[in-house]
Structure formats: C-alpha cells, structure tokens
Amino acid sequence: MLEIKNLHVEIEGKEILKGVNLKLEKGKIHALMGPNGSGKSTLANVIMGHPKYTVTQGKILLNNEDITNASPDERAKKGLFLSFQYPSEISGITIMNFLRTALNNVKEKKMTVFEFQKFLKEKLKLLKIDESFAERYLNAGFSGGEKKKSEILQLAVLDPTIALLDETDSGLDIDALKTIAEGINNVMDKNKEILIITHYKRILEYIQPDTLSIMINGKIVMEGGKELVDQLEAKGYGWIENGV
Ligand code: ADP
Ligand code: MG
C-alpha cells in the first residue's frame, strides 16, 4: 500500500505541493483530477523520486516503509511505475530491447532474449497490439496514441504493483482512448494499485475508479466516489475552488 502523508514539495524555491495526503489501496483504482498547474504531475514525479523536486515536509510510505529518500531505481525495484505525460523519444533502441532491459533491471529473475520474445508476444496479444510494434524505435515518430500504447505495453511487461498513470488519455481520439482503457483494465488485478491522473472525465467512463481525489493549488481538497466525476463534468472546478 502506498501512503502519502502531509507532503510538502518545492521546486526552485517555490512550494508546489502544500500538504498532500493520499492513500492507494490494494486492488483499487484511484483517480486524481484537478485543473492544469494544480500539482498532479509534481505529485507523480515526487512519488517516483524525481531529483528535480525537494520534499520539505511529510513522507511517502510503501507498505509502511519510508521511501521518501529512496532513488527512482530502488522505487522501481519495489514495484512502482510511472507513465509519463510527455514520453521522450529514444531512437536507436527498439521497444523490444528497451522493455527487456527495463524488466531485467527491476526483476530478480533475468530473461534471455528468447524467453523475453515469447513473453512479449503474449503481452502484445493481450493488448491487441501488432507484433511489428515491438520492432520500432522507442517513441521515434510515434503519434500521441502510439506513445500511450507504448506506455501501456511497458505497464503490462513490467507488471508493477503500483502504477501511476499521468494523463495517459491526453491527446487520444476515442478509439485510441478505448484501446488504452481496455489495456489498463486488462493489467489491473487484485494485487495492484493504480493512480490515474487525468484532466478529463472521458477515460473514467471506461475505467471505473473506486475513489476520486481532487487537487487544487497543491492540496487535495475533496475526495469521493464515482458520483463526484459527474458533478465535475456538470459544474467544473469552480464550485470547489470558491469553497476553498
Ligand atoms: P499539473 O500536472 O496538475 O498540471 P504540475 O505538477 O505540472 O501541474 O505543475 C504544478 C505547478 O508547478 C505549476 O504551477 C507549474 O508551473 C509549477 N512547475 C512545474 N515544474 C516547474 C519547474 N521546473 N520550475 C518551476 N515551476 C514548475
Ligand atoms: Mg500534469
């Protein structure tokens, strides 16, 4: 279980997160919504241990172990995964090679090229992705939808216990959105915890969150169930902001 306690975070001397409390639970999908610039990506990056951010107060606990100061690599080995809002392009490395290296880095048991090819084939099939996709260079010349597909494939291959998905839905057309949502539902199981960060309600029609938190100006200002999604759609964030 991942627990964030009274987290305060600064970047270049400016406080971005101002006391965030959040709990992810086993087998549950938690959605995090909020206006642009509220601190959602900052939270995801800090949970993953991005060196750019400074934690000035509070804690990040993973199964009651304090990981606030752990390196990103240690966190990945403990089962944390972050999919980026803006994945970078790496040419010269195929998706297949990238995924095998990444997997062998986080798991105790190493896979040979042949073992991995077989394993990857199953994952591609599960996600309904064409096999040729794995031969392409990582994110090079990918459309928005293909970049997100590659992130979901990473999610399926690395099989993390805790997945943070930052705006996995942004820039997708409706068919791509459905494919991605289906992929996420496919990899979800009773041992996983998923945090879906999103600006729009759309993806939450295909992935049902158990809990929804709303972040405004570096704080979680409201937490509720699925019904809150509809309220947001109808009224926007204004009614919450004005009440804060
Ligand atoms: P969200 O993902 O909710 O849109 P972000 O976490 O990306 O929000 O950003 C939160 C705030 O932090 C914004 O006001 C943004 O301008 C600020 N911020 C993010 N990165 C930097 C940076 N490198 N330097 C200064 N401010 C930053
Ligand atoms: Mg963001």
Side-chain angles (χ1 to χ4, degrees), residues 169-189:
D169 51 340
S170 65
L172 299 184
D173 62 40
I174 196 74
D175 289 332
L177 181 72
K178 277 189 196 164
T179 311
I180 296 300
E182 214 176 283
I184 295 171
N185 285 326
N186 263 325
V187 299
M188 182 62 190
D189 63 41

Side-chain angles (χ1 to χ4, degrees), residues 21-155:
N21 293 294
L22 189 84
K23 238 189 222 178
L24 301 186
E25 283 172 74
K26 227 177 163 174
K28 299 264 156 75
I29 296 182
H30 196 124
L32 177 64
M33 294 184 77
N36 269 327
S38 53
K40 305 182 298 297
S41 294
T42 300
L43 178 63
N45 283 312
V46 169
I47 295 175
M48 207 58 214
H50 197 297
K52 193 168 76 174
Y53 305 88
T54 313
V55 174
T56 53
Q57 257 191 78
K59 275 185 209 169
I60 305 169
L61 301 172
L62 180 59
N63 299 323
N64 291 321
E65 183 193 349
D66 191 338
I67 60 157
T68 319
N69 298 310
S71 71
D73 192 52
E74 285 172 77
R75 295 180 205 220
K77 285 183 177 146
K78 289 180 195 297
L80 270 168
F81 171 88
L82 168 63
S83 88
F84 296 103
Q85 184 170 2
Y86 306 107
S88 42
E89 295 192 4
I90 308 176
S91 54
I93 299 178
T94 62
I95 290 188
M96 162 117 60
N97 274 332
F98 169 75
L99 290 176
R100 191 169 69 90
T101 308
L103 183 67
N104 282 343
N105 182 45
V106 296
K107 297 275 194 282
E108 291 286 317
K109 200 179 159 291
K110 313 291 176 213
M111 275 195 205
T112 65
V113 173
F114 286 116
E115 283 168 336
F116 184 73
Q117 278 173 345
K118 189 164 167 264
F119 169 80
L120 185 62
K121 240 184 190 174
E122 285 163 21
K123 299 294 175 192
L124 288 164
K125 206 169 156 192
L126 175 79
L127 298 174
K128 298 188 189 122
I129 300 175
D130 194 85
E131 277 181 31
S132 63
F133 189 69
E135 306 291 342
R136 292 184 60 181
Y137 292 132
L138 190 62
N139 294 330
F142 279 18
S143 68
E146 286 169 335
K147 280 189 185 174
K148 302 295 167 176
K149 230 187 225 182
S150 127
E151 295 277 308
I152 296 307
L153 182 59
Q154 265 187 64
L155 177 66

